[in-house]
Amino acid sequence: MIFFLYIVLVFLVLRFSVTLFNFLSNPKMGNYGRSFTDKVLIIIKVHQSEEEAEKLIASLSAQDYKNYEILIQPIHSPDVVVAEKAAYFLFLDADTVIQRGFINSLIYRTTVFKLAMLSVIPTPRISGFIANCMYPLTDFVLLNLFPLRLVRLLKHPSFSMANGACLFFDAEIYRQYEWDEALKSSNQAALEIMKMVKQEKLNADLLLGNKLIYQKESKPDVAGVSGRLMLNFNQQPIVALSYLILVIGGPIAMALTLAPVFLLLPYGLIFLSRMMIAYLTAQKPFPSILYHPLQMISLTWLVVHQCWKSFLAVFKSKN
């Protein structure tokens, strides 16, 4: 048991270090106040009908950027990009909303750092008890496992992470490497393309949306949240379950085994991590602390549910 508690504490310190690195490096999308006129093709991905994108289209109309073309595209469409004159491609999920300055800031960031690909994680707008128990989990897991700044600083494919809700490409490079084929064929297309970009030794970046792009409020989507969670574990059920044992089973074992004075360090690290992640994702810090136990219960259920589905799928494929 003592050996297990040591492993839990070391993992907790490592997770806290990653969260602290993200907090100090502040990987947020900034409003840089620059103006551009390059043609941008905006591909809005919808699940069923164009009505899903009404709020997004309204937010595009309110942009200070005017040289763009909108293409509404079903999420499973075989055709991805058609415009040959566009300088940039911007893929957006229909349930996102952007603020003024966002497109100009995308182009500025891409131009300054000579990026082939820029992925932005929308800031979630969350209301309701069940939503608060589920939606913050994807950012929580990501920000205490993955240093976002390393996506740009290191070109090795191991340091790949992306969010498919907002993808921005240099159109010339995108056409050259025909990444639309990856978008057609992969359920985790954003991550696969990020790996392709790094394999070609091109520059890429991943940023938090800050106040420039939001994910609209929606009904809790168990399949969507659990699917995004598994991306953080590279779709590996064993890795996900090991994470659960260390992150949830570990603190429980500490509470049952150690004297209260020895709980100050691990529980203090958990508290500070939640505060920093709340700041990075524009959530209220103290409600995040209060929701933490319920979110850990939700995390356990979502991961176990998704792992069980994966095991069943493997079992059926072998029989």
Side-chain angles (χ1 to χ4, degrees):
M1 175 60 76
I2 297 298
F3 180 69
F4 173 70
L5 294 181
Y6 273 122
I7 294 175
V8 170
L9 184 58
V10 169
F11 188 57
L12 180 57
V13 171
L14 289 174
R15 287 169 47 226
F16 176 79
S17 300
V18 172
T19 305
L20 182 62
F21 176 84
N22 281 323
F23 181 75
L24 295 176
S25 62
N26 197 29
K28 294 181 180 179
M29 189 72 188
N31 192 339
Y32 304 106
R34 302 297 181 91
S35 297
F36 298 87
T37 58
D38 305 84
K39 179 70 174 291
V40 177
L41 175 63
I42 302 172
I43 302 98
I44 301 176
K45 297 174 286 182
V46 299
H47 290 271
Q48 294 179 343
S49 68
E50 295 185 12
E51 294 178 358
E52 300 171 29
E54 285 181 353
K55 290 186 178 180
L56 174 54
I57 293 174
S59 70
L60 287 168
S61 301
Q63 280 286 303
D64 51 352
Y65 200 90
K66 300 304 178 184
N67 190 16
Y68 65 84
E69 176 185 343
I70 296 177
L71 174 64
I72 306 292
Q73 186 173 76
I75 199 164
H76 298 300
S77 172
D79 300 317
V80 178
V81 174
V82 293
E84 291 295 328
K85 295 183 180 180
Y88 297 99
F89 296 144
L90 172 57
F91 292 85
L92 292 171
D93 276 355
D95 63 349
T96 55
V97 175
I98 66 173
Q99 305 298 312
R100 287 178 63 87
F102 181 63
I103 298 178
N104 273 313
S105 296
L106 287 174
I107 297 175
Y108 175 76
R109 183 86 184 178
T110 302
T111 303
V112 167
F113 291 102
K114 299 179 180 178
L115 302 176
M117 174 184 179
L118 171 59
S119 178
V120 183
I121 304 170
T123 302
R125 283 178 171 167
I126 304 171
S127 65
F129 177 75
I130 296 178
N132 272 288
C133 290
M134 289 174 50
Y135 283 123
L137 288 172
T138 53
D139 290 334
F140 169 78
V141 174
L142 175 65
L143 291 172
N144 70 28
L145 281 183
F146 195 90
L148 267 60
R149 286 293 187 192
L150 297 189
V151 172
R152 179 172 63 83
L153 297 176
L154 300 177
K155 293 185 180 181
H156 195 279
S158 299
F159 296 93
S160 296
M161 187 58 68
N163 188 294
C166 177
L167 301 172
F168 190 65
F169 296 94
D170 180 299
E172 183 178 352
I173 299 175
Y174 184 96
R175 294 190 195 99
Q176 178 183 348
Y177 290 97
E178 299 180 341
W179 287 325
D180 52 334
E181 293 300 320
L183 281 177
K184 294 179 193 178
S185 59
S186 176
N187 292 326
Q188 46 181 347
L191 181 56
E192 295 302 321
I193 293 180
M194 180 67 78
K195 290 179 180 178
M196 293 178 187
V197 170
K198 288 179 170 287
Q199 286 167 355
E200 298 294 340
K201 305 301 180 184
L202 299 170
N203 296 324
D205 204 357
L206 172 65
L207 296 173
L208 297 169
N210 201 5
K211 297 180 179 179
L212 288 173
I213 179 169
Y214 289 93
Q215 198 99 34
K216 293 187 304 185
E217 293 181 21
S218 60
K219 295 180 181 179
D221 177 12
V222 173
V225 175
S226 58
R228 288 193 293 272
L229 281 171
M230 291 303 293
L231 284 177
N232 295 319
F233 307 115
N234 202 25
Q235 301 291 359
Q236 298 295 324
I238 299 300
V239 176
L241 293 174
S242 300
Y243 177 85
L244 282 185
I245 292 170
L246 293 173
V247 172
I248 298 173
I252 294 174
M254 285 181 171
L256 296 175
T257 307
L258 302 178
V261 67
F262 294 111
L263 298 177
L264 291 177
L265 174 61
Y267 282 35
L269 293 179
I270 294 172
F271 175 84
L272 291 174
S273 294
R274 290 311 309 241
M275 296 286 283
M276 289 187 287
I277 290 172
Y279 166 76
L280 288 168
T281 57
Q283 304 300 315
K284 295 179 180 178
F286 288 103
S288 295
I289 298 297
L290 295 176
Y291 272 109
H292 181 75
L294 296 173
Q295 289 174 1
M296 294 302 98
I297 295 172
S298 298
L299 178 63
T300 303
W301 181 72
L302 289 167
V303 170
V304 170
H305 174 73
Q306 192 68 20
C307 289
W308 179 248
K309 286 176 61 178
S310 299
F311 287 137
L312 286 178
V314 172
F315 179 77
K316 289 180 179 178
S317 66
K318 290 183 178 180
N319 293 276

